[in-house]
Amino acid sequence: MPDVPANVNQNTPVTCWFAGLTTLDVIHRSAVRPGPNQKITAVRQDVSAGGPAANAAVTAATLGVRALLISALGSGPVGSAARGDLERHGVEIYDAAEGHEIPMAVSAVMVDDATGDRSVVSPDAMLTDRVDVTPGSLDALPRPAVVLLDGHHPDLARSVLAYANALEPRPLIVLDAGRWRPVFADLMGHADVTARSADFRAPDSVAPSRATVATHGPDPVTWCDADGRHGTTGVPKVDVRDTLGAGDAFHGALAVALARGADLEAAVEEAVRVASLRVQYVGPRSWLENLSCA
């Protein structure tokens, strides 16, 4: 992987970019799942910003780095609600849809009160699939040590990647690969680390990233770095209350650790610690109070 700048250490504020999806999540916690044509009463409701890049940025900001989200929120009421939540948690925003009222995604989320498992229905970025940024707009932003791409806005992801690749020093590129998307064919070969779920599969024709991290739910995380070192990192057994955004928390913490100069093994250990903390708390943001002092 490219070298982290020499002046970056554990006590130096660094900047991480998180380029990708922002949604507004409407989250209901329920003791039962509804059947066809059935209504049920939730035991809890939360509304917060969501999306892989946005949630990872919230985690990173809480961990003490300068977290800059490059996304599309727009000036409509949905975007305003998401923006308020993100800014309240320390995330800086570059809005590629600034001044435009766009049909930003609203995600319907159900969390099982007994198991903490979540189900999500969302249009993701399909309603705003022409979002992009220019090199000139990115020039005005603080230089990143790490850039995380989630691939949800394909044009934006390609443009941010091209810009980051041309920077000196070049930042580390982390790819959040939860589900296969065609844009990953253009991203993976440039990524220093692809963090993927266990069921993620890329076509054989796609160039691999320099290093990989694979999560397996409650089972150990596997990793392989650019030098061919590989291993597993155990996941502690905890009381799981809410799994919503656990993967995003993992990716945010991974990006922060890499930005501060950790090798891949140490970065995975930190990401596991943070994700394991997240699942122990009910609600999308309540866990952050415990993260900041962990």
Side-chain angles (χ1 to χ4, degrees):
M1 293 187 291
D3 292 335
V4 174
N7 64 341
V8 173
N9 59 52
Q10 197 69 18
N11 299 314
T12 303
V14 294
T15 297
C16 295
W17 287 5
F18 299 88
L21 181 66
T22 303
T23 66
L24 185 69
D25 287 358
V26 179
I27 307 157
H28 289 102
R29 191 173 184 93
S30 174
V32 295
R33 290 183 178 274
N37 201 33
Q38 181 185 11
K39 296 180 179 180
I40 60 174
T41 300
V43 299
R44 175 182 171 125
Q45 174 182 288
D46 292 281
V47 178
S48 73
N55 278 333
V58 168
T59 300
T62 306
L63 287 169
V65 303
R66 188 174 185 181
L68 187 101
L69 174 65
I70 303 173
S71 188
L73 284 74
S75 58
V78 175
S80 296
R83 181 188 299 275
D85 177 57
L86 292 166
E87 291 180 342
R88 186 162 55 250
H89 290 94
V91 175
E92 299 178 42
I93 300 168
Y94 176 79
D95 185 1
E98 184 175 5
H100 301 279
E101 186 168 344
I102 62 171
M104 202 181 100
V106 176
S107 298
V109 183
M110 175 171 285
V111 178
D112 188 312
D113 191 46
T115 67
D117 291 336
R118 87 287 188 267
S119 301
V120 182
V121 179
S122 176
D124 293 334
M126 292 181 64
L127 304 178
T128 52
D129 61 353
R130 293 293 182 183
V131 173
D132 203 353
V133 290
T134 65
S137 63
L138 298 177
D139 273 337
L141 305 180
R143 291 291 179 91
V146 167
V147 174
L148 181 141
L149 306 170
D150 70 15
H152 272 281
H153 291 294
D155 294 337
L156 182 148
R158 294 186 187 99
S159 295
V160 171
L161 173 63
Y163 182 86
N165 275 337
L167 290 177
E168 288 292 342
R170 176 184 176 276
L172 300 176
I173 307 298
V174 176
L175 187 62
D176 170 356
R179 290 175 284 166
W180 170 256
R181 298 180 185 86
V183 69
F184 287 152
D186 300 327
L187 306 179
M188 284 185 63
H190 298 276
D192 298 292
V193 180
T194 291
R196 61 179 182 83
S197 61
D199 57 358
F200 177 86
R201 295 291 183 273
D204 293 340
S205 59
V206 174
S209 63
R210 297 172 179 84
T212 59
V213 175
T215 57
H216 304 265
D219 296 324
V221 177
T222 56
W223 55 268
C224 180
D225 69 16
D227 297 321
R229 295 175 60 245
H230 58 86
T232 61
T233 300
V235 174
K237 294 187 182 302
V238 297
D239 181 17
V240 176
R241 304 291 310 285
D242 192 337
T243 62
L244 180 65
D248 305 336
F250 182 97
H251 298 139
L254 184 75
V256 169
L258 292 171
R260 287 174 167 161
D263 65 16
L264 188 61
E265 181 177 13
V268 170
E269 290 174 353
E270 170 65 358
V272 167
R273 178 189 75 85
V274 170
S276 298
L277 180 69
R278 190 274 166 268
V279 300
Q280 296 179 64
Y281 294 88
V282 172
R285 301 291 185 238
S286 61
W287 71 285
L288 295 172
E289 296 178 5
N290 299 281
L291 175 62
S292 61
C293 62

